[in-house]
């Protein structure tokens, strides 16, 4: 059975102290009134990970890094390896976010190295894919996203693929306030599930959690989550507001 997942991506926001307060506030709300069948995750800056892990009930609030290095260790100044992330107690890592692809040149080749290291270190990758506006305007989004998957996660053996969470995040909807319609999100996630079915079979397709991300918020989450192939959300801006985030967690 696939899981319902609501994952926050804090991006480059919050000082250490602010982040710990935010994590505690999210944790209290989730423990007090969060739907128990929803896997809640907070994606924090690297600097916050270990303390956030200590500050939350990790049975209710999972902790994710937003990236990891493409190399296991060594002379890579400023990088944070998958093993380091794992050693903080974090269980997840967001990989392939469009901001990483766009601003930091993350190619499929780099992502494949990161995926391998994340999996080897026992982290669950939250793998992001999605098209930019010109691709959507040309109505070639299915081919574009299909190729992203072919070049990366579809190269994984089934046992590794089964560990993934996948988030479809159309770039034109991220941080823009312009949400994809529930129909557009459903259409793409149904297509992705179909591709998974063709590649790994029906059982894997049915078991894989597929999330939507892109200006999802407390107002539109229920409509998005009502769609049959949308198993949850990757939430940016609204994950910084605990009162909104808990509404999203409870939006099924
Ligand atoms: C994201 O960063 O993954 C995201 C979906 O951001 P936002 O919700 O702010 O659009």
């Amino acid at each position: 059975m696939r899981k319902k997942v609501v994952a926050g991506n804090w991006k480059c926001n919050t000082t250490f102290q602010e982040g710990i307060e935010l994590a505690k506030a999210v944790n209290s709300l989730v423990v007090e009134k969060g739907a128990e069948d929803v896997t809640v995750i907070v994606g924090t800056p690297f600097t916050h990970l270990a303390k956030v892990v200590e500050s939350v009930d990790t049975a209710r609030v999972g902790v994710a890094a937003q990236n990891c290095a493409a190399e296991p260790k060594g002379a890579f100044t400023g990088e944070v390896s998958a093993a380091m992330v794992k050693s903080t107690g974090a269980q997840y890592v967001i990989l392939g976010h469009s901001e990483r692809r766009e601003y930091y040149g993350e190619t499929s080749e780099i992502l494949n190295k990161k995926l391998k290291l994340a999996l080897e270190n026992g982290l669950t990758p939250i793998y992001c894919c999605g098209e930019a506006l010109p691709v959507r305007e040309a109505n070639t989004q299915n081919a574009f996203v299909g190729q992203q998957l072919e070049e990366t996660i579809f190269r994984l053996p089934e046992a590794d693929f089964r560990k993934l969470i996948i988030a479809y995040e159309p770039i034109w909807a991220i941080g823009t306030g312009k949400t994809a319609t529930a129909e557009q999100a459903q259409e793409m996630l149904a297509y992705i599930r179909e591709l998974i079915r063709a590649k790994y079979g029906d059982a894997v397709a049915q078991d894989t959690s597929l999330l939507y991300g892109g200006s999802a918020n407390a107002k539109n989450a229920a409509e998005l989550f009502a769609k049959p192939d949308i198993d949850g959300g990757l939430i940016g801006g609204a994950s910084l507001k605990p009162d909104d985030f808990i509404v999203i967690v409870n939006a099924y």
Side-chain angles (χ1 to χ4, degrees), residues 9 11 97 99 128 169 173-177 213-216 234-238:
N9 175 14
K11 311 193 189 197
H97 193 282
E99 288 154 14
C128 305
E169 300 208 305
I174 297 179
T176 57
S215 300
L234 181 55
I235 315 295

Side-chain angles (χ1 to χ4, degrees), residues 160-180:
D160 281 340
F161 186 88
R162 277 183 169 277
K163 296 174 185 154
L164 303 178
I165 295 169
I166 299 171
Y168 166 59
E169 300 208 305
I171 297 170
W172 46 271
I174 297 179
T176 57
K178 191 176 172 193
T179 324

Side-chain angles (χ1 to χ4, degrees), residues 228-247:
D229 287 292
I230 304 182
D231 304 316
L234 181 55
I235 315 295
S239 71
L240 297 168
K241 302 175 201 150
D243 291 336
D244 286 6
F245 192 60
I246 192 68
V247 171

Side-chain angles (χ1 to χ4, degrees), residues 9 19 43 118 155 165 181 184 186 233:
N9 175 14
R155 297 188 177 185
I165 295 169
T181 64
Q184 286 172 319
Q186 162 61 24

